[in-house]
Amino acid sequence: MTAAEVDAYLAGLPQDQRDALEDLRKRLKSRLPDHIECLSYAMPGFRQPGPKGKMVVGYAAFARHLGLYPHSGSVIPLIDCAPFKTSKSGVLFTPAHPLPDALLDAILRLRQDEIAAGYGRRG
């Protein structure tokens, strides 16, 4: 699970989706500079540093939209993502309408707070 695998994932996308997700990738890297870029659940994303680092966020391309997924079903329902469509686990967008920085920051902040509070720990 390396940045090269993420490069390969992005290279296989149509140009508009590739451009949009490369921009999102760059924005995520700037906000999560010490995190590990990887593939999880067949989508690119960023994991906390360390051998047991939790997934913070992933992103993916689909036939009619792109998605950002904070690897938690608890984050998206807490945020007003309008005018974007959402699912329990992600926010959907298109190359023509990327996620604004404020929404991206809110998602990352809530997910990191959730991890810090122990979300996903066993025992």
Side-chain angles (χ1 to χ4, degrees):
M1 296 197 257
T2 66
E5 290 174 307
V6 175
D7 291 338
Y9 175 93
L10 294 172
L13 298 176
Q15 189 67 48
D16 65 335
Q17 289 185 332
R18 181 171 48 246
D19 291 346
L21 290 185
E22 284 177 349
D23 178 65
L24 178 62
R25 179 188 192 188
K26 181 176 138 186
R27 293 165 59 207
L28 289 168
K29 277 184 182 183
S30 74
R31 287 163 169 79
L32 303 168
D34 60 336
H35 287 55
I36 300 161
E37 193 169 20
C38 63
L39 290 179
S40 180
Y41 296 101
M43 72 175 71
F46 290 85
R47 177 183 305 281
Q48 291 178 310
K52 294 186 179 187
K54 299 271 187 217
M55 281 300 295
V56 175
V57 68
Y59 55 92
F62 300 94
R64 299 182 192 275
H65 68 272
L66 306 171
L68 179 78
Y69 302 92
H71 286 263
S72 164
S74 304
V75 171
I76 297 301
L78 297 175
I79 301 171
D80 179 5
C81 296
F84 298 95
K85 291 183 180 180
T86 63
S87 67
K88 181 178 180 182
S89 61
V91 59
L92 313 179
F93 60 101
T94 65
H97 299 285
L99 299 176
D101 287 338
L103 179 55
L104 183 60
D105 291 341
I107 292 167
L108 293 175
R109 184 174 44 258
L110 275 176
R111 177 61 177 142
Q112 288 177 309
D113 289 351
E114 180 180 69
I115 292 169
Y119 176 87
R121 286 193 195 138
R122 296 179 186 226

